[in-house]
Amino acid sequence: GPSRAPPNLAVHKHGLLFVTSAGNNGPALSTGGAPGTSSCCIAVGAYCSSAMMGPQYSLRAKLADIQYTWSSRGPTYDGHLNVSVSAPGGAIAPVPNWTLQGRQLMNGTSMASPNACGGITLLLSALAARGERWSPASIRRAIETTALRTPNATGSAVEVWALGRGLLQVGAALSWLEEHGGHAHCDVRFELSATTHGCSTAAGAGARGVYLREPQHSSSSEVGVDVFVRPRLHEEAPNAQRVSLDVGVTLQPSAPWLSCAPFLAL
């Protein structure tokens, strides 16, 4: 929609990183808000560690790390993951003088987003100090690949719809870029378009992911989905680089109820 146009222009044409909050409308699914629902944005969820709880909320007993319940969850209505990574979503922070106090406890993905943005800035600063180049695609791939999956109170991993790929890990992301930054496909992003058979909603034709949420999908013995994946370079990439772009992908189902072709040539 119109809310996606400015972020797309900033990232894909001008090479900026667009870090934004995921939203504060959780814990229900599909509660993310614009502009974080845009595929080009790094939407950040809000996480609360056990170490944060004591000084910030004066808890008497130690509790397990959690994703804040109000942190918005994905996916979007057309199947996009929505939350990219998570970061601490609360802090005792300085506030304006008109509040007549020096500091205040603040909570929200609007706290998590600047925390993540500062971490990513440190990553860019380290790359600049070493004279290494980067692109929005390479930075996003680095932080999502190295993000830390964390357990919830029951010991199982926090669901990906809430946490995203995991907690931002600046040092690990830098190490990943040192090892993989020169890879031929490091600057490539992938656009997905999915059409679910028998679905007439936003998750049907031309969706950004597979989102089975219609009654006929839960009652049917088999649901077919046509998925198209397109590799994309930056809009200013030279034509020679576009012509030489050749990506081969090996596919493997991640669940026993999934099946797919074993190989995809892009």
Side-chain angles (χ1 to χ4, degrees):
S3 63
R4 297 179 190 170
N8 284 333
L9 183 66
V11 175
H12 299 324
K13 184 175 180 61
H14 299 292
L16 302 180
L17 288 169
F18 200 119
V19 182
T20 185
S21 57
N24 303 325
N25 297 310
L29 295 178
S30 303
T31 49
T37 51
S38 174
S39 301
C40 68
C41 290
I42 299 174
V44 184
Y47 186 79
C48 185
S49 69
S50 179
M52 293 168 56
M53 296 178 192
Q56 292 186 24
Y57 304 104
S58 303
L59 296 185
R60 292 181 298 165
K62 185 176 181 179
L63 298 179
D65 300 351
I66 61 169
Q67 191 80 356
Y68 279 103
T69 53
W70 39 255
S71 184
S72 287
R73 269 70 169 166
T76 62
Y77 292 117
D78 65 343
H80 176 55
L81 179 60
N82 197 169
V83 183
S84 176
V85 294
S86 287
I92 299 174
V95 291
N97 288 341
W98 56 261
T99 64
L100 300 183
Q101 55 186 10
R103 59 183 181 172
Q104 180 179 330
L105 174 61
M106 306 291 287
N107 304 285
T109 51
S110 291
M111 295 296 289
S113 176
N115 184 299
C117 194
I120 295 172
T121 301
L122 293 175
L123 177 59
L124 300 182
S125 178
L127 293 174
R130 302 179 185 191
E132 299 178 11
R133 57 175 298 278
W134 59 270
S135 68
S138 67
I139 295 298
R140 180 167 190 153
R141 184 165 291 114
I143 65 173
E144 291 185 346
T145 300
T146 59
L148 178 66
R149 296 297 304 275
T150 61
N152 58 21
T154 65
S156 59
V158 176
E159 66 273 15
V160 68
W161 310 120
L163 188 67
R165 304 297 185 187
L167 287 178
L168 177 66
Q169 305 291 300
V170 176
L174 179 60
S175 297
W176 188 93
L177 286 167
E178 290 175 344
E179 182 177 353
H180 302 285
H183 192 277
H185 300 150
C186 191
D187 295 331
V188 179
R189 74 180 193 276
F190 297 89
E191 293 182 354
L192 184 148
S193 176
T195 299
T196 302
H197 300 174
C199 183
S200 59
T201 66
R208 291 178 291 165
V210 180
Y211 194 179
L212 303 181
R213 59 197 303 260
E214 301 301 315
Q216 66 268 27
H217 295 147
S218 59
S219 60
S220 176
S221 60
E222 182 175 287
V223 178
V225 182
D226 298 328
V227 180
F228 298 89
V229 182
R230 298 176 178 84
R232 300 292 193 198
L233 291 167
H234 189 271
E235 290 186 12
E236 302 300 326
N239 289 337
Q241 186 178 3
R242 298 177 188 275
V243 172
S244 63
L245 180 61
D246 186 12
V247 183
V249 180
T250 300
L251 302 177
Q252 184 175 357
S254 57
W257 46 269
L258 288 174
S259 63
C260 62
F263 185 79
L264 182 63
L266 304 178

